[in-house]
Amino acid sequence: MVNVVRTNIRRAERAVVDRLQAFGVATVHEAQGRTGLLGPDIRPIWRGARVAGTAVTVSLPPCDNWMIHVAVEQCQEGDLLVVAPTSFSDAGYFGELLATSLMARKVRALVIDAGVRDVRDLTALGFPVWSRAVSAQGTVKETLGSVNVPVVCAGALVNPGDVVVADDDGVCIVPRREAGRVADASAAREAKEAVSRERLRAGELGLDMYKMREKLARAGLVYDDSPPGE
Amino acid sequence: MVNVVRTNIRRAERAVVDRLQAFGVATVHEAQGRTGLLGPDIRPIWRGARVAGTAVTVSLPPCDNWMIHVAVEQCQEGDLLVVAPTSFSDAGYFGELLATSLMARKVRALVIDAGVRDVRDLTALGFPVWSRAVSAQGTVKETLGSVNVPVVCAGALVNPGDVVVADDDGVCIVPRREAGRVADASAAREAKEAVSRERLRAGELGLDMYKMREKLARAGLVYDDSPPGE
Amino acid sequence: MVNVVRTNIRRAERAVVDRLQAFGVATVHEAQGRTGLLGPDIRPIWRGARVAGTAVTVSLPPCDNWMIHVAVEQCQEGDLLVVAPTSFSDAGYFGELLATSLMARKVRALVIDAGVRDVRDLTALGFPVWSRAVSAQGTVKETLGSVNVPVVCAGALVNPGDVVVADDDGVCIVPRREAGRVADASAAREAKEAVSRERLRAGELGLDMYKMREKLARAGLVYDDSPPGE
Amino acid sequence: MVNVVRTNIRRAERAVVDRLQAFGVATVHEAQGRTGLLGPDIRPIWRGARVAGTAVTVSLPPCDNWMIHVAVEQCQEGDLLVVAPTSFSDAGYFGELLATSLMARKVRALVIDAGVRDVRDLTALGFPVWSRAVSAQGTVKETLGSVNVPVVCAGALVNPGDVVVADDDGVCIVPRREAGRVADASAAREAKEAVSRERLRAGELGLDMYKMREKLARAGLVYDDSPPGE
Amino acid sequence: MVNVVRTNIRRAERAVVDRLQAFGVATVHEAQGRTGLLGPDIRPIWRGARVAGTAVTVSLPPCDNWMIHVAVEQCQEGDLLVVAPTSFSDAGYFGELLATSLMARKVRALVIDAGVRDVRDLTALGFPVWSRAVSAQGTVKETLGSVNVPVVCAGALVNPGDVVVADDDGVCIVPRREAGRVADASAAREAKEAVSRERLRAGELGLDMYKMREKLARAGLVYDDSPPGE
Amino acid sequence: MVNVVRTNIRRAERAVVDRLQAFGVATVHEAQGRTGLLGPDIRPIWRGARVAGTAVTVSLPPCDNWMIHVAVEQCQEGDLLVVAPTSFSDAGYFGELLATSLMARKVRALVIDAGVRDVRDLTALGFPVWSRAVSAQGTVKETLGSVNVPVVCAGALVNPGDVVVADDDGVCIVPRREAGRVADASAAREAKEAVSRERLRAGELGLDMYKMREKLARAGLVYDDSPPGE
């Protein structure tokens, strides 16, 4: 079991990352076939942020944040730090000092399958964080982990350089090599939804717009217009 | 097992619904004898809304939102959609397109014992939603359910046409035929609380105002004014 | 088993309480050796408050808030009410009327290992509350408990007169006799962090600032700069 | 809000109840169209029991078991007690003395959406219990509830006299008037499964037996027999 | 923050401990006024054990079991080890080797507010354990904690030398100086229950035996013997 | 998004699988550097089984078990089926008929990040299952997934052909190409533990055996033998 920091990773292209950022999580997740979503316990510590970035991944032991300090050095502008403990913990691995350091490197956000603290300061700084918990309980710096290895974060596989998209709906991972294709599919989906939205706003029913009535009848749905009893 | 859409339901009167809306959940719940409350895991996706509406109910299979599309057509102005899967799921059954469609019909809100998505858009639209989770994970449209049948939603029985009251404290169901009586009881309760509030604000103690001292003494409460040890 | 109200307690000094309030939970918790933190399920009902106060403690039976009414009388300016049921409950023990009464006595906040209601009103009043849940489900007034006895609240021991510090990160208890020492240690910690913050903001790495590189190498960390495969 | 004990209820017929008992929960639940299942947090305190009985229902306040004592008198041979607090609680509402009393009346089991205690004794007595929790924390006897009114228990509606079927898979409610029809459907389902079981045991594939291959192909499933990479 | 091992503690008397062991958790908890119960998430890893012992307490950092090794040396015959991490963790702090060491010292059991592993071996050894989780995830040995200091374990305060009673209902703490009194109260309670048990077994109703009927009537309970509708 | 069944996978060698089976989860997990463990919510439906098998993996939509039927055909003697829904669900995806079919193919066990049913029958059959829940709630057969693709199951990455080791402590994944090395390391670990076990059983302290005393002193641990206060 060697603990390693991979210093040389391929990242998804910035232009594609930025396109994905604009679409948001729900659209991107649908556009790539409903894969890559982190579990719904990972929530933003403040509302309204929508970001995408290239993943720098951290695998670390529970209750030990030493490797986050190591990972900072591997971060570049446009990256997004993804932290996954090897065992469940809701302690606070990350606070305002680490955020200051990441912001100095133009890192876009943090996604962590654990807890964070200093959320008042993080909010004031405008640094976006998605986490499982908020806790003032600190961690130690005793045991190694690895940086830029594949990690499982809240049920999703993340490879370094993958695109991480995050907003109020949660967090979704787009594999690096799929990013362009998924951005195209997202754009197509959004265009289609824009049309649907206008028709629905005008009062058209989804039943008609999506042509569901016949399929419902075939499935045996019964409409009962008998008068209600008292 | 027939899947049915009841198109003809009795609804509580709009005037009573609007009275109940003004009182809010905690008052209404007390006024009707502490019944009808949904479990506390059902939370608003944004804070500050207070609504009441007449229930259009949807019973649907887990991870399948087909029947929500069917239910939209049954909704009228002043209604509030209540969605209950037949098995636990925290997937996202509902998003901004369905909200657009409901708003076109002047539906007041959604209460769902499952997850929703597009919460940034729903918040921007000002459409109130109470849900168990936020998740970008979509659902399928394969299996029938029923509309306007009695459902159990987060532990409470809801009949179509019942009044649903919802605010930051949660969600409470008022049976259609009780609505007038509960509105009256709520008004009485609120009037009484207004008096209490003024007396408490002026510094009077609840112990005196509610005449609790004698009952406490009878129950054996001891006041100990001995000096504290170090 | 006698139920008692201790009317005569020693409180931490106001000046020290106010110093601790300024530091916030994460700093105070670290400064006193990572003890005294309540579990992370205790969350603020609204964001942005930071308070410290002297604990008036309430031990009460589940689903019964009678003793909170008793406790109000024991509260003084600068106190903070700490409520711990003897068995798990997420019902709503506390609402806007009790808050009005506490505010009339200049009590600073409530921490409760259970639920509260009227959160819209509590937010409008600006009364800070940390709780495990929000629920409109009321409680009864039938069974005695005790006031100003030691209680365990969300996993932390609280003695009457201890300092309770609370903010968006959670809640931390500082024993009365430690308060001065902890305030000094907090000040020292904050001064040190101010220096670190400036250096990190200027782009210095924590790896260098905290002199971690040698220890990492000794622990066996490997840097791998081989080119990534496709 | 009147608290009532209905002393005169219709019960499902014993013969039908006993037929349903033999089929067990999974079969009965399927046979009645996947309705009536209690949530999976309701688990047996000991393994291996399979019972069905006619429901005597109890609605009671949280942390108060007074109405269970009232309900005992309403129980007859072949009944099964169903207890639902009006708010969440995991305290221990029921123990060995109440079980002794129910056994003296030939009650078949208890289903409770809360906690029980004395589980070692209950196991030794062979009295089956399905509960949400085990807890030694007792309850009070202060506040009324009702007996033999409709209750929602762990998400399912239960009317007095309904059939309750329970085994290691959980608990399922069969409405009284559906009981005969559901027993017939269960028998049909079981007969069909017996045939399937033999064919599967002999090595036939479900893919063939259920004729799934064509539907899978139409849905677009791809079989890839390329050699694995290293 | 000094980490300390107190080597010289007072223990409750063995004879009293053994009396309490015979009564079990539910009786002892009631007899001491419903205090001292650990939360219901602490469950036995195997069923049927009933033990009591004198507490040797361990406070340790999350995910670090070093102090358990230190605590073993402090254990004597008749002790029961109580382990409480300072932050939530469900990792496996304890396994078969540590159990072997404790059994060599005639320690009676382990209570831990975290996880354990090797449960198959622990069961075969007959060593009783109450824990929050089972997990093969190990811990490190890097950071100090303390032995024989007061700890909060699963919501209950435990002082070294206190009596810990544990069985299938959970775990209850009896303060050392209360142990004799609680044992007497437990005996009285058990004697009274033995009489009740016989009367209930003979078919007498609790309503009569506890003389509840008048109090129920005063509280307003209504018996409705009208014939059921269809 | 293509749904695929890979029919041609490499499997770990049977002899190595059987060696790993003998060691059990805790030993194997340690021996491979504390990686590959599924989360502790995955529990055996009956106690005492210890198995290892080669993974046939199934990725399927929530509440839909169609792909399990597809996967059966891909299973060979010595395999172990691993099922991971793409979104959380605790419905019952698997029961006695599917187990019969797997047993006919000499499949060793099932690991599923969801629910199962017919647990009484599964126990009687002696078919080992590790699952997140037990639920009679069935699933549909409407939507495709994939077989023998990499899946994330309860937080762990599983590739087809990997070794899955499972016992009462949980479930651990050993990558196919690491299996031999991990078996060797497990054997070494077990040999070492056998020696430790004997020394501990004879009363030697871990403090001495692991030579911890000096490191504890360096870390600042204080032994306090002052007499206890009253």
Side-chain angles (χ1 to χ4, degrees):
Chain A
M1 183 65 185
V2 175
N3 293 110
V4 67
V5 181
R6 293 186 51 224
T7 62
N8 197 352
I9 63 169
R10 282 190 214 278
R11 288 168 166 87
E13 283 177 34
R14 178 76 58 83
V16 174
V17 173
D18 290 348
R19 286 179 68 202
L20 288 166
Q21 179 170 299
F23 296 124
V25 169
T27 295
V28 166
H29 179 242
E30 288 290 335
Q32 78 171 335
R34 299 193 166 178
T35 59
L37 197 66
L38 274 65
D41 292 337
I42 306 298
R43 297 295 301 146
I45 63 166
W46 50 270
R47 282 291 189 92
R50 172 168 284 180
V51 301
T54 35
V56 167
T57 62
V58 186
S59 170
L60 40 61
C63 304
D64 191 311
N65 76 346
W66 204 13
M67 295 312 288
I68 300 182
H69 291 271
V70 173
V72 171
E73 189 178 27
Q74 305 306 317
C75 290
Q76 303 178 357
E77 181 174 355
D79 283 343
L80 191 157
L81 196 62
V82 176
V83 177
T86 53
S87 170
F88 179 89
S89 162
D90 58 10
Y93 289 64
F94 182 96
E96 166 258 339
L97 287 182
L98 278 165
T100 300
S101 192
L102 288 178
M103 291 176 83
R105 299 181 82 81
K106 303 196 191 306
V107 173
R108 294 187 170 179
L110 170 75
V111 171
I112 181 168
D113 191 1
V116 298
R117 58 185 183 179
D118 300 334
V119 298
R120 205 166 87 140
D121 299 316
L122 295 172
T123 305
L125 287 168
F127 185 76
V129 174
W130 285 257
S131 74
R132 174 180 294 281
V134 170
S135 171
Q137 173 73 36
T139 54
V140 295
K141 290 171 188 56
E142 297 287 355
T143 309
L144 295 183
S146 291
V147 175
N148 281 332
V149 295
V151 298
V152 172
C153 184
L157 180 65
V158 192
N159 281 290
D162 283 350
V163 187
V164 184
V165 188
D167 63 18
D168 290 349
D169 283 352
V171 181
C172 187
I173 307 302
V174 181
R176 177 175 56 84
R177 286 188 285 185
E178 313 268 322
R181 190 186 62 73
V182 172
D184 293 343
S186 298
R189 183 176 171 91
E190 196 155 283
K192 194 172 146 201
E193 289 203 341
V195 176
S196 301
R197 186 177 299 114
E198 282 320 300
R199 293 171 65 178
L200 293 169
R201 188 178 290 142
E204 190 172 346
L205 286 169
L207 285 182
D208 298 314
M209 195 172 78
Y210 302 122
K211 301 191 190 341
M212 289 174 171
R213 292 192 194 273
E214 192 190 356
K215 190 179 165 203
L216 287 164
R218 264 205 318 271
L221 188 64
V222 173
Y223 283 80
D224 170 5
D225 62 355
S226 61
E230 183 41 26
Chain B
M1 184 65 186
V2 175
N3 292 109
V4 67
V5 180
R6 292 186 52 222
T7 62
N8 198 352
I9 62 169
R10 282 191 214 278
R11 288 167 166 87
E13 283 178 33
R14 179 76 58 84
V16 175
V17 173
D18 290 347
R19 286 179 69 203
L20 288 166
Q21 178 170 298
F23 296 124
V25 169
T27 295
V28 166
H29 180 241
E30 288 290 334
Q32 78 171 336
R34 299 193 169 176
T35 59
L37 197 65
L38 274 65
D41 291 338
I42 306 297
R43 297 294 301 144
I45 62 166
W46 50 271
R47 284 291 189 91
R50 173 168 284 180
V51 300
T54 35
V56 168
T57 63
V58 185
S59 170
L60 39 63
C63 305
D64 191 311
N65 75 346
W66 204 12
M67 295 312 288
I68 299 182
H69 292 271
V70 173
V72 170
E73 189 179 27
Q74 305 305 318
C75 289
Q76 303 179 357
E77 180 174 354
D79 283 342
L80 190 157
L81 196 63
V82 176
V83 177
T86 53
S87 170
F88 180 88
S89 162
D90 58 10
Y93 289 64
F94 182 96
E96 166 257 340
L97 286 183
L98 279 165
T100 300
S101 192
L102 288 179
M103 291 176 83
R105 299 181 83 81
K106 302 195 191 309
V107 173
R108 294 187 171 179
L110 169 75
V111 171
I112 180 167
D113 191 0
V116 297
R117 58 185 183 179
D118 300 333
V119 298
R120 204 164 88 140
D121 299 316
L122 296 172
T123 306
L125 287 169
F127 185 76
V129 173
W130 284 257
S131 74
R132 173 179 294 281
V134 170
S135 172
Q137 173 73 37
T139 54
V140 296
K141 290 172 186 59
E142 296 287 355
T143 308
L144 294 184
S146 291
V147 175
N148 281 333
V149 295
V151 298
V152 173
C153 184
L157 180 64
V158 191
N159 280 292
D162 283 351
V163 187
V164 184
V165 188
D167 63 18
D168 290 350
D169 283 351
V171 181
C172 186
I173 308 302
V174 181
R176 178 176 56 86
R177 285 188 285 186
E178 313 268 322
R181 190 186 61 73
V182 172
D184 293 345
S186 298
R189 184 176 171 89
E190 197 155 282
K192 194 172 146 202
E193 289 203 340
V195 175
S196 300
R197 187 177 298 115
E198 283 319 302
R199 293 170 65 180
L200 293 168
R201 188 178 290 143
E204 190 171 347
L205 286 169
L207 285 182
D208 298 314
M209 195 174 79
Y210 302 122
K211 302 190 190 340
M212 288 174 170
R213 291 192 193 273
E214 192 190 356
K215 191 181 165 201
L216 287 164
R218 264 203 320 270
L221 187 64
V222 172
Y223 283 80
D224 171 4
D225 63 354
S226 60
E230 182 42 23
Chain C
M1 182 64 185
V2 174
N3 292 108
V4 68
V5 181
R6 293 186 51 223
T7 62
N8 197 352
I9 62 170
R10 283 192 214 277
R11 287 168 167 87
E13 282 177 34
R14 179 75 58 84
V16 174
V17 174
D18 290 347
R19 285 179 70 205
L20 288 166
Q21 178 170 299
F23 297 123
V25 169
T27 295
V28 166
H29 179 242
E30 288 290 335
Q32 77 172 336
R34 300 194 167 178
T35 59
L37 197 66
L38 275 65
D41 291 338
I42 305 297
R43 297 295 301 143
I45 63 166
W46 50 271
R47 284 292 189 91
R50 172 168 284 180
V51 300
T54 36
V56 167
T57 62
V58 185
S59 169
L60 39 62
C63 304
D64 190 311
N65 75 346
W66 204 12
M67 295 312 288
I68 299 182
H69 292 270
V70 173
V72 171
E73 189 178 25
Q74 305 306 317
C75 290
Q76 303 178 356
E77 182 175 354
D79 283 343
L80 190 157
L81 197 63
V82 176
V83 177
T86 53
S87 169
F88 180 89
S89 161
D90 58 9
Y93 290 64
F94 182 96
E96 166 258 340
L97 287 182
L98 278 165
T100 300
S101 192
L102 289 179
M103 290 176 83
R105 299 180 83 81
K106 302 196 192 308
V107 172
R108 292 186 171 179
L110 169 75
V111 171
I112 181 168
D113 191 0
V116 298
R117 58 185 183 180
D118 300 334
V119 297
R120 205 165 87 138
D121 299 316
L122 295 172
T123 306
L125 287 169
F127 185 76
V129 173
W130 284 257
S131 74
R132 174 179 294 281
V134 170
S135 171
Q137 173 73 36
T139 54
V140 295
K141 291 171 185 56
E142 296 286 355
T143 309
L144 294 183
S146 291
V147 175
N148 282 332
V149 295
V151 298
V152 173
C153 184
L157 180 65
V158 192
N159 281 291
D162 283 351
V163 187
V164 184
V165 188
D167 62 18
D168 290 349
D169 282 352
V171 181
C172 186
I173 307 302
V174 181
R176 178 175 55 84
R177 286 187 287 185
E178 313 268 322
R181 189 185 63 73
V182 172
D184 292 345
S186 298
R189 183 177 171 89
E190 198 157 281
K192 193 172 146 201
E193 289 203 340
V195 176
S196 301
R197 187 178 297 114
E198 283 319 301
R199 292 170 66 179
L200 292 169
R201 188 178 290 143
E204 191 171 347
L205 286 169
L207 285 182
D208 298 313
M209 195 173 78
Y210 302 123
K211 301 191 191 336
M212 289 173 171
R213 292 191 194 274
E214 192 189 356
K215 192 181 164 201
L216 287 164
R218 265 205 318 271
L221 188 64
V222 173
Y223 283 79
D224 170 5
D225 62 356
S226 60
E230 181 43 25
Chain D
M1 184 64 185
V2 175
N3 292 109
V4 66
V5 180
R6 292 186 53 224
T7 61
N8 197 350
I9 63 169
R10 283 193 213 275
R11 288 168 166 86
E13 282 177 34
R14 178 77 58 84
V16 175
V17 173
D18 290 348
R19 285 180 69 203
L20 288 167
Q21 178 171 300
F23 296 123
V25 169
T27 295
V28 166
H29 179 242
E30 287 290 333
Q32 78 171 334
R34 299 194 167 179
T35 59
L37 198 65
L38 274 67
D41 291 338
I42 306 298
R43 297 295 301 145
I45 62 166
W46 50 270
R47 284 291 190 89
R50 171 168 284 180
V51 300
T54 36
V56 168
T57 63
V58 185
S59 169
L60 39 62
C63 305
D64 191 312
N65 75 346
W66 204 13
M67 295 311 288
I68 299 182
H69 292 272
V70 173
V72 171
E73 189 179 27
Q74 305 306 317
C75 289
Q76 303 177 356
E77 180 174 356
D79 283 343
L80 189 157
L81 196 63
V82 176
V83 177
T86 56
S87 170
F88 180 88
S89 162
D90 59 9
Y93 290 64
F94 182 95
E96 166 258 340
L97 286 183
L98 278 165
T100 300
S101 193
L102 287 179
M103 290 176 84
R105 298 181 83 80
K106 301 194 191 311
V107 173
R108 292 187 174 181
L110 169 76
V111 171
I112 181 168
D113 191 0
V116 297
R117 58 184 182 180
D118 300 334
V119 298
R120 203 164 89 139
D121 298 317
L122 295 172
T123 305
L125 286 169
F127 186 75
V129 173
W130 284 257
S131 74
R132 174 179 295 282
V134 169
S135 171
Q137 173 73 37
T139 56
V140 296
K141 291 171 185 57
E142 296 285 355
T143 309
L144 294 184
S146 291
V147 175
N148 281 332
V149 296
V151 298
V152 173
C153 184
L157 180 65
V158 192
N159 280 290
D162 283 351
V163 187
V164 184
V165 188
D167 62 19
D168 290 349
D169 282 351
V171 182
C172 187
I173 308 301
V174 181
R176 176 175 57 84
R177 284 188 289 186
E178 312 268 322
R181 190 186 62 73
V182 172
D184 293 345
S186 298
R189 184 178 170 88
E190 198 156 281
K192 195 172 145 201
E193 289 202 340
V195 175
S196 300
R197 186 177 299 114
E198 283 319 302
R199 292 171 65 179
L200 293 168
R201 188 177 291 143
E204 190 170 348
L205 286 169
L207 286 181
D208 299 313
M209 195 172 78
Y210 302 122
K211 302 193 191 334
M212 289 174 170
R213 293 192 191 273
E214 191 190 358
K215 192 181 164 202
L216 287 164
R218 264 203 319 271
L221 188 64
V222 173
Y223 283 81
D224 171 4
D225 61 355
S226 59
E230 181 45 22
Chain E
M1 184 64 186
V2 175
N3 293 110
V4 66
V5 180
R6 294 186 52 224
T7 61
N8 198 351
I9 63 169
R10 282 192 214 277
R11 288 169 166 86
E13 283 177 33
R14 178 75 59 83
V16 174
V17 173
D18 290 347
R19 284 180 69 203
L20 288 166
Q21 178 171 298
F23 296 123
V25 169
T27 295
V28 167
H29 179 241
E30 289 289 335
Q32 78 171 334
R34 298 193 169 179
T35 59
L37 197 65
L38 274 66
D41 291 338
I42 306 297
R43 299 294 301 142
I45 61 166
W46 49 271
R47 284 293 190 89
R50 173 167 282 180
V51 299
T54 37
V56 167
T57 63
V58 185
S59 170
L60 39 63
C63 305
D64 191 312
N65 76 345
W66 204 13
M67 295 312 288
I68 300 182
H69 292 270
V70 173
V72 170
E73 189 178 27
Q74 304 306 317
C75 290
Q76 303 178 357
E77 180 173 355
D79 283 343
L80 189 157
L81 196 64
V82 176
V83 177
T86 55
S87 170
F88 179 88
S89 163
D90 58 9
Y93 290 63
F94 183 95
E96 166 258 339
L97 287 183
L98 278 165
T100 299
S101 192
L102 288 179
M103 291 177 83
R105 298 181 84 80
K106 302 197 192 307
V107 172
R108 292 188 173 178
L110 169 76
V111 171
I112 180 167
D113 192 359
V116 297
R117 59 184 180 180
D118 300 334
V119 298
R120 205 165 87 140
D121 298 317
L122 296 172
T123 305
L125 287 169
F127 185 76
V129 174
W130 284 257
S131 74
R132 174 180 294 281
V134 170
S135 171
Q137 173 73 36
T139 54
V140 295
K141 290 172 186 56
E142 297 286 355
T143 310
L144 295 183
S146 292
V147 175
N148 281 333
V149 296
V151 298
V152 173
C153 184
L157 180 65
V158 191
N159 280 290
D162 283 351
V163 186
V164 184
V165 188
D167 62 18
D168 290 349
D169 283 351
V171 181
C172 187
I173 308 301
V174 181
R176 178 175 56 85
R177 284 187 289 185
E178 312 268 323
R181 189 186 62 73
V182 172
D184 293 344
S186 298
R189 184 177 170 90
E190 197 155 283
K192 194 171 145 202
E193 289 202 341
V195 175
S196 300
R197 187 177 298 115
E198 282 319 301
R199 291 171 65 178
L200 293 169
R201 188 177 290 143
E204 191 170 349
L205 286 169
L207 286 181
D208 298 314
M209 195 172 77
Y210 302 123
K211 299 192 191 337
M212 289 174 170
R213 292 190 193 274
E214 191 189 357
K215 192 180 164 203
L216 287 164
R218 266 204 318 271
L221 187 64
V222 173
Y223 282 81
D224 172 3
D225 62 355
S226 61
E230 181 44 22
Chain F
M1 184 64 185
V2 176
N3 293 109
V4 66
V5 180
R6 292 186 52 224
T7 60
N8 198 350
I9 62 169
R10 282 192 213 276
R11 289 169 165 87
E13 282 177 35
R14 179 76 58 83
V16 175
V17 173
D18 290 347
R19 285 180 69 203
L20 288 166
Q21 178 170 297
F23 297 123
V25 169
T27 295
V28 166
H29 179 242
E30 288 290 334
Q32 78 172 334
R34 299 194 168 178
T35 59
L37 197 65
L38 274 66
D41 291 338
I42 306 297
R43 298 294 301 144
I45 62 167
W46 50 270
R47 283 292 190 89
R50 173 168 283 180
V51 299
T54 36
V56 167
T57 63
V58 186
S59 169
L60 39 62
C63 305
D64 190 312
N65 75 345
W66 204 13
M67 295 311 289
I68 299 182
H69 292 272
V70 173
V72 170
E73 188 179 26
Q74 305 306 317
C75 289
Q76 303 177 357
E77 182 174 354
D79 283 343
L80 190 157
L81 197 63
V82 176
V83 178
T86 55
S87 170
F88 180 88
S89 162
D90 58 9
Y93 290 63
F94 182 95
E96 167 257 339
L97 286 183
L98 278 165
T100 300
S101 193
L102 288 178
M103 290 176 84
R105 298 181 83 79
K106 302 196 192 308
V107 173
R108 293 188 173 179
L110 168 76
V111 171
I112 181 167
D113 192 359
V116 297
R117 58 183 181 181
D118 300 333
V119 298
R120 203 165 88 140
D121 299 317
L122 295 173
T123 305
L125 287 169
F127 186 75
V129 174
W130 284 258
S131 73
R132 173 179 295 282
V134 170
S135 171
Q137 173 74 37
T139 55
V140 295
K141 290 171 186 57
E142 296 287 353
T143 309
L144 294 184
S146 291
V147 175
N148 281 332
V149 296
V151 298
V152 173
C153 184
L157 180 65
V158 191
N159 280 291
D162 283 351
V163 187
V164 184
V165 188
D167 62 19
D168 290 349
D169 283 351
V171 182
C172 187
I173 308 301
V174 181
R176 176 174 58 83
R177 283 187 288 185
E178 312 269 321
R181 190 186 61 73
V182 172
D184 292 345
S186 298
R189 185 177 170 88
E190 197 155 282
K192 194 172 146 202
E193 289 203 340
V195 175
S196 300
R197 187 177 300 114
E198 282 320 300
R199 292 171 65 180
L200 293 168
R201 188 177 291 142
E204 189 170 348
L205 286 169
L207 286 181
D208 298 313
M209 195 172 78
Y210 303 123
K211 301 191 190 335
M212 290 174 170
R213 292 191 193 273
E214 191 191 357
K215 191 181 166 201
L216 287 164
R218 265 203 318 271
L221 188 65
V222 173
Y223 283 81
D224 171 4
D225 62 353
S226 60
E230 181 43 24

